[in-house]
Amino acid sequence: MATEDKNRATAAAILPLVGGAANVSSIAHCMTRLRLGLHDRSLVQDEALKAVPAVMGVVEDDTYQIVLGPGTVARVTPEFEKLVEEGKASAPAPAAPSAPLSAEELAAQGAEMRAARKAKNATPFKLFLRRIANIFVPLIPALIGCGIIAGLNGLLVNLGWLTSVTPALAAMASGFMALIAVFVGYNTAKEFGGTPILGGAVAAIIVFPGVANIEAFGQKLSPGQGGVLGALGAAVLAVYVEKWCRRWVPEALDVLVTPTLTVLISGLVTIFGLMYVAGEVSTAIGTFADWLLSNGGAGAGLVLGGFFLPLVMLGLHQALIPIHTTLIEQQGYTVLLPILAMAGAGQVGAAIAVFFRLPRNESIRRTIKSALPAGFLGVGEPLIYGVSLPLGRPFITACVGGAFGGAFVGFFNQLGDAVGSTAIGPSGWALFPLLDGNHGLGSTIAIYAGGLLVGYLAGFVATYFFGFSKDLLAEFNVSQEPAASTVAATGPATVGAGPETPAKEPAGV
């Protein structure tokens, strides 16, 4: 089957299981998940959806998220959008119901559906973090592409090869990072309800070379000072100024006055305040990250690697995105991501241990065999939601594996061998092309590979010896093949397909 036909077939299989085109209110995707806004959550057939071959799992948050994996989700989403458009266009006009619901009944039904979601996901802090993620996640593909080109260029420069090409590669790798503040400003204004191009215009002030001629707080400004944090603050300010103008400026003058005042007021505050303040904050972030790993070393790596997955479960990992981006702006790489990536190594090790501890459970073993390749490449959702999290204790022992891997990488950071990533997003083996450090690519790769190996081994050992109680083994180490109907309803098959309890699901990646 052609790839395009395969992606369309996947989309066609998913659509009826989420209630059809009429039930879909919004469509988006991130690195690994198809995110759907649904009118009626009760129309979704969870178990049938998890059984679709391309579906690795589902996550319920403010949107219904279907885990398809990197690459696949970017190809399936356009096909899904086409099918939804076709379905809505061909849908017959609804007949007038004989006994329509009253407005009060409809409102009560909608309120009941929203209440369950908001109770666990709509806290102000989580909503703020979700907005931050919406600003930075769209930038990840460019960060990855430019980061890989930067790594290739560095290798060619060190080898002295293709000297006529390396300047061009350097321009390709650096061009996006030089203007990343503009993209952050654009996305920020869009996310906070302003005019995106005005957010980009105000953020562009930060990277304009002419700011070097301006003094603020007794110091000359430098282009790029404040970086993405300054751009974020400048664009948010622009949104509020623009909204104020929309309320008070007469309509006849709005098209002239509102954009002018937005750029003027926000620009002045950015130049004479935000750039300096954000620059100090950005410097402090870089200094603290260096200090943490230089002094905390193995201990800092242990904590970061061990607690990263619980942070993901709570949706708090999104707060790290601007920190990673700031470090990449300042140092050319983020030293935090390789340590956090060890959490995935712990999951892989734990899954292998589960495979050996449950030799009779064909359902879980099939799930592990199909999910391990993605796990080695840093896509952890299938193993988390399909294996370790539903089992309970193996999720904890997987975190132990991540802690040991993080401690290994952190220890070498303390010795002076910084291991960093030139982009955010990839993990596991997929992070190798993006690695960079302060002591050559060879030692950087060796330390990161050593951390992965430690994470695999620690996750395996902790899970094999401490991941199962006698009751857990008795419950799950049984053959599931003869009782297919029972397995489909309860027990290990649920574990193999992914958890259904919303309380155990994170806000998304």
Side-chain angles (χ1 to χ4, degrees):
M1 181 184 292
T3 301
E4 185 175 340
D5 294 338
K6 179 182 178 182
N7 295 328
R8 189 170 181 85
T10 299
I14 291 173
L15 184 56
L17 301 179
V18 295
N23 194 40
V24 178
S25 60
S26 65
I27 304 170
H29 75 86
C30 61
M31 290 289 291
T32 59
R33 304 178 187 183
L34 173 63
R35 298 170 179 256
L36 303 178
L38 301 175
H39 295 295
D40 188 350
R41 170 65 181 84
S42 65
L43 297 178
V44 178
Q45 302 175 46
D46 293 290
E47 294 306 319
L49 192 58
K50 294 171 187 175
V52 174
V55 174
M56 299 177 176
V58 297
V59 178
E60 187 176 359
D61 193 36
D62 59 326
T63 56
Y64 191 79
Q65 303 170 14
I66 302 170
V67 183
L68 298 173
T72 301
V73 70
R75 291 167 172 81
V76 171
T77 300
E79 299 297 333
F80 188 84
E81 290 174 334
K82 291 177 187 176
L83 290 176
V84 170
E85 290 176 5
E86 294 169 4
K88 290 181 177 180
S90 61
S98 56
L101 291 174
S102 67
E104 290 78 13
E105 290 172 323
L106 286 173
Q109 183 179 350
E112 185 179 352
M113 292 171 62
R114 290 192 297 268
R117 292 198 302 265
K118 288 186 176 180
K120 62 181 174 64
N121 293 318
T123 63
F125 185 59
K126 282 191 176 181
L127 290 175
F128 172 75
L129 292 182
R130 194 166 296 127
R131 281 187 162 182
I132 295 297
N134 291 340
I135 291 166
F136 286 93
V137 167
L139 306 180
I140 289 178
L143 286 168
I144 293 173
C146 294
I148 291 177
I149 292 173
L152 175 62
N153 184 62
L155 181 63
L156 293 175
V157 169
N158 290 335
L159 295 174
W161 294 353
L162 301 177
T163 54
S164 61
V165 176
T166 51
L169 293 177
M172 296 175 199
S174 303
F176 174 74
M177 289 306 302
L179 297 174
I180 190 173
V182 179
F183 296 99
V184 169
Y186 184 95
N187 286 349
T188 300
K190 181 179 179 181
E191 180 63 26
F192 281 84
T195 302
I197 198 64
L198 291 179
V202 174
I205 297 170
I206 293 174
V207 296
F208 177 60
V211 297
N213 301 320
I214 302 172
E215 281 193 12
F217 297 95
Q219 299 178 10
K220 286 275 190 181
L221 295 177
S222 59
Q225 186 173 338
V228 294
L229 298 182
L232 184 66
V236 169
L237 176 62
V239 169
Y240 282 100
V241 173
E242 181 188 358
K243 289 181 177 179
W244 181 87
C245 291
R246 301 287 184 203
R247 287 197 303 268
W248 297 103
V249 174
E251 288 185 12
L253 300 175
D254 183 71
V255 70
L256 297 174
V257 175
T258 297
T260 303
L261 288 179
T262 298
V263 175
L264 178 63
I265 296 173
S266 305
L268 288 173
V269 175
T270 298
I271 291 172
F272 294 105
L274 281 176
M275 284 186 67
Y276 176 82
V277 174
E280 293 298 307
V281 173
S282 298
T283 301
I285 289 174
T287 302
F288 177 74
D290 290 338
W291 176 87
L292 179 66
L293 294 179
S294 297
N295 294 275
L302 185 85
V303 173
L304 291 172
F307 283 93
F308 181 62
L309 282 180
L311 285 180
V312 173
M313 304 295 294
L314 297 172
L316 301 180
H317 65 296
Q318 294 166 343
L320 297 171
I321 297 176
I323 295 176
H324 287 312
T325 310
T326 298
L327 292 174
I328 292 171
E329 267 194 317
Q330 286 184 339
Q331 304 173 357
Y333 52 80
T334 167
V335 292
L336 298 179
L337 186 57
I339 292 177
L340 300 177
M342 296 301 119
Q347 284 291 331
V348 169
I352 296 174
V354 171
F355 184 87
F356 284 104
R357 288 289 273 164
L358 302 179
R360 299 176 183 174
N361 193 314
E362 296 85 357
S363 175
I364 292 181
R365 286 167 67 89
R366 275 198 305 270
T367 299
I368 294 172
K369 284 190 287 187
S370 64
L372 266 181
F376 280 115
L377 292 173
V379 181
E381 283 103 332
L383 292 177
I384 296 171
Y385 300 126
V387 181
S388 65
L389 186 60
L391 289 172
R393 192 183 292 185
F395 178 78
I396 298 173
T397 54
C399 292
V400 171
F404 275 85
F408 181 88
V409 178
F411 174 73
F412 280 93
N413 270 275
Q414 189 172 15
L415 295 180
D417 288 300
V419 177
S421 170
T422 57
I424 57 177
S427 182
W429 293 0
L431 197 62
F432 277 110
L434 297 168
L435 291 177
D436 197 3
N438 60 350
H439 281 127
L441 189 59
S443 63
T444 300
I445 290 176
I447 294 170
Y448 180 72
L452 288 178
L453 183 60
V454 170
Y456 297 151
L457 291 175
F460 178 88
V461 171
T463 305
Y464 192 89
F465 290 103
F466 306 105
F468 289 90
S469 64
K470 291 182 179 179
D471 291 339
L472 197 63
L473 279 175
E475 180 181 358
F476 288 105
N477 191 25
V478 293
S479 177
Q480 303 298 310
E481 293 301 325
S485 58
T486 304
V487 171
T490 59
T494 303
V495 176
E500 194 171 314
T501 306
K504 290 187 178 181
E505 292 164 351
V509 178

